[in-house]
Amino acid sequence: MQDKPVTQNDVGVAFSRHDHAHCADATLARAEAAALTRGARLTPVRRRALEILLEEHRALGAYEVLDRLAADGFGKQPPVAYRALEFLVENGLAHRVRRLNAFTACMHPGETHMPVFLICRVCHAVAEASATPVRAALDRAAAELGFTVERTNVEALGLCPACHDLACTGVST
Amino acid sequence: MQDKPVTQNDVGVAFSRHDHAHCADATLARAEAAALTRGARLTPVRRRALEILLEEHRALGAYEVLDRLAADGFGKQPPVAYRALEFLVENGLAHRVRRLNAFTACMHPGETHMPVFLICRVCHAVAEASATPVRAALDRAAAELGFTVERTNVEALGLCPACHDLACTGVST
DNA sequence: CTTGACCTGTTATGTCATAACATAGACAAG
DNA sequence: CTTGTCTATGTTATGACATAACAGGTCAAG
Ligand SMILES: [Zn+2]
Ligand SMILES: [Zn+2]
Ligand SMILES: [Zn+2]
Ligand SMILES: [Zn+2]
């Protein structure tokens, strides 16, 4: 909860006080590097879509992204946003949060990982949590049934530390 | 893969050969008992909606359920299905599979559990897997960030045993 | 009988997502 | 230079999923 500098790959950065301008810039830089590595073309719309997602640690609906893209002179029609977002997701630069029908920037692009999302139902912050143990447990459960896991969605809804504290201390309104 | 009798609470029953008529009947009976315990009123529409979900081990869209309800003389409008389904979900008799925008009957109603779904991308079978270890791992990951988990969606897309075997043996078409 | 809680049904609308087609630049082959 | 092909971007139109708001019906408590 203190504003110590947060390292780039810190999980749960969404719930920490931090210099978000730096956080977003750094993540964008890493995304660009990751895209280069994969030979994925981060064109202007795509890049701008990612920047938009990076503006906040929450998930944005496709139409919300679309509006901002349109405001920046890109196309105004749904496919414009959906295509850019699909590209970002396919290339591991963003994730889809199914619970919210929305998208969020990946906070550690380049690293292969199974995203685990913690979604605050009050402030709508979205954090990517440490996934490895969850993935392992899931793989074991699947293996017991002979099921081969290819992709996963793991999402938890609840309270982030800040909103939890607020709920406990003063429930005035 | 052999058709040994499957006990009612077996996890992953969706992927086993079994007497599904019996499976569905038994699950419905347990659901009725669970509803009674909770004082939840399993009215005709709701009960019929659950029966519809229980017809197959897959997830059905709300409009698919709606069509069948309408065919049985219930209302033809979306809220009819959504309300019945919402009731079932709220009372732990069904689950929502967000990846599919669809609903599936709970295979062990009454027991509190965090559902973990294994979804076959080929035959669309949906199984509820053993959740406890996954939940534990998720809780730990959340606790590290001070996040309080209230509800979860854990869904894995992949290949069920049968479809996996088919993919391995003969890939003709 | 009246009230109030709850269930079921309706109309209308809102939100999310994609199919199908048109255009424009990048670039290699001819 | 021209042509074909690939990929990206844009459009129109439509489909799929979900809910708000209201109307009537049942039934037990008062
Ligand atoms: Zn940040
Ligand atoms: Zn919060
Ligand atoms: Zn069955
Ligand atoms: Zn299958």
Side-chain angles (χ1 to χ4, degrees):
Chain A
M1 293 297 287
Q2 75 273 48
D3 56 1
K4 59 150 177 138
V6 177
T7 71
Q8 293 180 342
N9 286 320
D10 252 1
V11 108
V13 62
F15 299 151
S16 314
R17 228 139 73 80
H18 66 284
D19 175 354
H20 183 61
H22 169 74
C23 161
D25 284 355
T27 309
L28 182 59
R30 268 175 289 135
E32 286 182 313
L36 209 69
T37 302
R38 307 191 75 208
R41 296 175 47 191
L42 195 58
T43 60
V45 228
R46 293 166 176 175
R47 192 192 143 104
R48 183 70 193 112
L50 181 54
E51 284 174 13
I52 290 166
L53 291 182
L54 279 169
E55 283 169 11
E56 292 173 68
H57 285 290
R58 65 180 183 101
L60 276 70
Y63 279 68
E64 210 170 340
V65 172
L66 177 59
D67 286 346
R68 305 203 195 176
L69 287 175
D72 291 347
F74 296 101
K76 311 172 161 45
Q77 272 55 47
V80 170
Y82 280 101
R83 282 198 287 241
L85 291 167
E86 182 188 22
F87 170 88
L88 295 175
V89 170
E90 288 299 300
N91 289 277
L93 307 181
H95 298 293
R96 188 168 195 152
V97 183
R98 306 216 81 115
R99 173 132 214 158
L100 305 174
N101 290 330
F103 300 82
T104 192
C106 176
M107 285 299 110
H108 38 284
E111 310 167 34
T112 54
H113 62 284
M114 176 187 80
V116 168
F117 294 111
L118 306 178
I119 307 161
C120 178
R121 68 170 158 80
V122 173
C123 68
H124 304 114
V126 173
E128 255 182 275
S130 162
T132 320
V134 179
R135 173 66 194 233
L138 186 50
D139 277 342
R140 259 194 303 279
E144 276 174 28
L145 304 182
F147 186 90
T148 313
V149 175
E150 290 174 348
R151 319 190 62 144
T152 60
N153 290 92
V154 179
E155 305 173 2
L157 191 69
L159 290 175
C160 76
C163 294
H164 178 77
D165 289 351
L166 283 178
C168 292
T169 54
V171 190
S172 46
T173 338
Chain B
M1 295 297 287
Q2 75 272 48
D3 56 2
K4 60 150 174 135
V6 178
T7 71
Q8 294 180 341
N9 286 322
D10 253 359
V11 106
V13 61
F15 298 151
S16 313
R17 226 138 73 80
H18 65 285
D19 176 354
H20 184 61
H22 169 72
C23 161
D25 285 354
T27 309
L28 182 59
R30 269 176 289 135
E32 286 182 313
L36 210 69
T37 303
R38 306 190 76 209
R41 295 176 48 190
L42 195 57
T43 60
V45 228
R46 293 167 175 175
R47 191 193 144 105
R48 184 69 193 114
L50 181 54
E51 285 174 11
I52 290 166
L53 291 183
L54 279 169
E55 284 169 10
E56 293 172 67
H57 286 290
R58 64 180 183 101
L60 275 69
Y63 280 69
E64 209 170 339
V65 173
L66 176 59
D67 286 346
R68 305 204 196 176
L69 286 175
D72 291 347
F74 296 101
K76 308 172 162 48
Q77 271 56 45
V80 170
Y82 279 101
R83 281 199 287 241
L85 291 167
E86 182 187 22
F87 169 89
L88 295 175
V89 170
E90 288 299 299
N91 289 277
L93 308 181
H95 298 293
R96 189 168 194 152
V97 183
R98 304 213 82 115
R99 173 132 213 155
L100 305 175
N101 290 330
F103 299 83
T104 192
C106 176
M107 286 297 111
H108 38 282
E111 310 165 35
T112 54
H113 62 284
M114 176 187 79
V116 168
F117 294 111
L118 305 179
I119 307 162
C120 178
R121 68 171 158 79
V122 173
C123 68
H124 304 114
V126 173
E128 254 182 277
S130 162
T132 318
V134 179
R135 173 67 195 232
L138 186 50
D139 277 342
R140 259 193 305 277
E144 275 174 31
L145 303 181
F147 186 91
T148 313
V149 175
E150 292 175 347
R151 318 191 61 143
T152 60
N153 289 94
V154 180
E155 305 172 2
L157 192 69
L159 289 175
C160 76
C163 294
H164 178 77
D165 289 351
L166 284 178
C168 293
T169 53
V171 189
S172 45
T173 338

